[in-house]
Amino acid sequence: MAVCRSCAHPLPEPGLCGRCIADPPHYDQVIAACRYAYPLDTLIQSYKYRGRLAAASTLAALLAGRIRSRPDLIVPMPLAAQRLRERGFNQALELARIIGRQLNAPVDAGLCIKSRDTAPQTRLPWKARRKNIRGAFVVLGSLEGCHVAVVDDVLTTGATLSELARNLKRAGAARVTGYVVARTVSR
Ligand SMILES: [Zn+2]
């Protein structure tokens, strides 16, 4: 199955999807282990919302199997402080740690901060998502010429990843790749 070479959305043939052509994202590429569908969606939900930390190694192994190059730095998609308190852990950080060990790449959990909580993106129409997330991230430090990989569990529209990538590139990153376990597919 072909996917968009930028956002990893399924396509009938290799290339770029219409959305990425019309409105290019700030990241360079998304590597997704699988589609967000049964049974992976159930495993991700039990990991994320019920704290089934044992699922992290299964999910991370699926993702690591798709990665062909080693980034200079891995960062987990940051959670806002309030969300982190509610959930008790950052699901992206556990995945990033395992993948960092497998790729022998450094993981920096303190580089990017989500400076404010945002309305859950899933409740918003596609166009409102970019506005909702704009300015929500702060990147501390310089990333001159680095290939940075951002790890997250699920990618939906990519608006959040694109906004973080915009900030990473402003801090000097040469390339930003998203590593996601599952990618949702629009009907
Ligand atoms: Zn695309």
Side-chain angles (χ1 to χ4, degrees):
M1 182 67 179
V3 295
C4 171
R5 68 168 182 267
S6 178
C7 75
H9 196 278
L11 283 181
E13 54 192 69
L16 281 173
C17 75
R19 226 170 232 180
C20 288
I21 292 170
D23 188 12
H26 292 281
Y27 55 79
D28 296 275
Q29 192 191 6
V30 169
I31 294 172
C34 51
R35 289 193 192 188
Y36 190 66
Y38 186 82
L40 252 292
D41 56 349
T42 345
L43 187 62
I44 290 171
Q45 283 166 21
S46 71
Y47 167 50
K48 194 165 166 176
Y49 300 114
R50 293 194 291 280
R52 288 257 328 266
L53 288 176
S57 53
T58 307
L59 298 172
L62 276 174
L63 178 51
R66 296 295 178 99
I67 299 166
R68 300 280 172 263
S69 65
R70 194 172 71 94
D72 300 306
L73 186 66
I74 295 177
V75 299
M77 178 61 79
L79 275 186
Q82 192 193 332
R83 192 72 57 81
L84 188 59
R85 274 197 299 275
E86 287 163 10
R87 196 169 292 166
F89 73 110
N90 178 353
Q91 76 278 3
L93 175 57
E94 300 306 318
L95 297 172
R97 280 187 181 136
I98 301 170
I99 288 165
R101 277 199 297 273
Q102 293 213 7
L103 300 180
N104 194 24
V107 176
D108 191 335
L111 179 79
C112 306
I113 290 170
K114 196 168 180 203
S115 54
R116 62 180 171 83
D117 209 357
T118 48
Q121 293 282 77
T122 47
R123 288 186 204 155
L124 295 171
W126 198 78
K127 279 193 168 166
R129 293 183 178 203
R130 194 163 49 182
K131 204 173 155 198
N132 179 49
I133 198 74
R134 180 118 189 153
F137 295 110
V138 175
V139 175
L140 309 163
S142 168
L143 294 166
E144 219 48 61
C146 283
H147 174 197
V148 181
V150 179
V151 172
D152 207 354
D153 54 342
V154 180
L155 181 114
T156 307
T157 64
T160 305
L161 177 61
S162 184
E163 175 61 14
L164 180 55
R166 189 175 72 82
N167 286 271
L168 290 166
K169 289 200 166 170
R170 239 181 12 193
R175 184 172 176 81
V176 176
T177 306
Y179 292 166
V180 300
V181 175
R183 207 245 184 269
T184 63
V185 172
S186 51
R187 277 148 293 176

